[in-house]
Amino acid sequence: MSEESVLEKLRAGARKFQAEVYAKNAEHYQRAASTPQAPHTLIISCADSRVDVEAITSSGPGQVFVTRNVGNMAPPYSGTPGGVTAVIEYAVAALKVKHVVVCGHSDCGAMKALLHPPATDNLPTVRYWLHHGQAALMVAESMAHKDEPQIDKLKRLTEENVLMQLVHLKTHPSVAGAMARGELTMSGWVYDIGSGVVRIAEEGHRDFIPVTVGAGAKA
Ligand SMILES: [Zn+2]
């Protein structure tokens, strides 16, 4: 697809949005435009184009504050300003979200690259960024069974990486403070692209429990 035709495709998408989605919910969008945003949740997800966090949480405008990066990393607080750190601080200290989600997913290229470092030989920035998953890799490797299939290794690392990013999150002063005051909770998610199923590990738990349709609402 040529560059121009991609832009044309994007224009067509913007037209379709205006004509269909916006037109149907115009009042909602107009209200959102004149009301300060008050999202209830910060979601840190992978940048993977198949992970549509608004869709998988059935969220509309104003409900979730989202940051996406390669491998859904939440770097530990270091005092050095960074994009993800700024998002976390703004979401927690200014917007006062009530919950933080770290959302990993199946078939994650970042997790595969952690398991197979040569994949980032020509991607020095990606390789550097992935060091935020190094501790998770070490944990996952220490837990692996002998002759574990690659697919199981990938699943384990994906989960351990989500859990490790939750640990990192707690090093951020805004997060630590809000949690200590009982104003903030967090959970780790793994989204399965093929089945649409989200599995959630609640704060303090290591098991990822599938959210099943018809299982009833849990507040
Ligand atoms: Zn990914």
Side-chain angles (χ1 to χ4, degrees):
M1 195 179 278
S2 74
E3 213 171 299
E4 203 170 349
S5 68
V6 171
L7 182 55
E8 209 33 68
K9 189 179 166 64
L10 292 168
R11 271 199 193 98
R15 276 187 208 106
K16 188 173 156 73
F17 170 76
Q18 285 174 42
E20 296 175 16
V21 181
Y22 179 87
K24 223 167 97 188
N25 304 287
E27 220 177 291
H28 182 79
Y29 282 99
Q30 284 157 10
R31 206 168 42 242
S34 55
T35 317
Q37 63 164 329
H40 49 70
T41 300
L42 163 65
I43 303 182
I44 299 168
S45 86
C46 187
D48 191 300
S49 58
R50 300 165 296 178
V51 182
D52 184 346
V53 293
E54 280 90 352
I56 67 177
T57 56
S58 304
S59 298
Q63 296 185 313
V64 289
F65 198 70
V66 181
T67 184
R68 297 163 59 126
N69 64 63
V70 173
N72 43 272
M73 306 297 185
Y77 187 77
S78 66
T80 307
V84 184
T85 303
V87 165
I88 294 166
E89 186 179 87
Y90 188 66
V92 175
L95 297 174
K96 303 204 180 301
V97 296
K98 302 275 179 284
H99 194 81
V100 185
V101 167
V102 173
C103 183
H105 65 99
S106 60
D107 196 47
C108 182
M111 298 302 106
K112 288 180 177 172
L114 273 169
L115 288 169
H116 184 65
T120 52
D121 277 351
N122 298 313
L123 304 167
T125 313
V126 174
R127 174 171 287 184
Y128 174 77
W129 177 250
L130 290 180
H131 82 269
H132 295 301
Q134 197 61 35
L137 178 64
M138 290 169 77
V139 172
E141 282 182 343
S142 74
M143 294 173 74
H145 309 301
K146 197 172 172 289
D147 305 322
E148 191 167 67
Q150 200 64 16
I151 187 87
D152 292 346
K153 275 189 188 163
L154 182 60
K155 181 170 180 258
R156 186 195 300 279
L157 173 58
T158 302
E159 294 182 359
E160 291 302 332
N161 182 58
V162 166
L163 295 174
M164 193 59 77
Q165 305 314 317
L166 295 180
V167 174
H168 292 170
L169 269 169
K170 292 177 190 169
T171 65
H172 290 250
S174 57
V175 172
M179 287 188 85
R181 295 191 301 273
E183 296 167 0
L184 183 73
T185 52
M186 55 173 66
S187 58
W189 295 23
V190 175
Y191 165 62
D192 185 84
I193 297 168
S195 69
V197 173
V198 171
R199 292 182 300 118
I200 298 180
E202 290 190 30
E203 161 65 11
H205 294 259
R206 291 184 48 81
D207 291 333
F208 286 77
I209 312 294
V211 178
T212 49
V213 176
K218 192 184 167 199

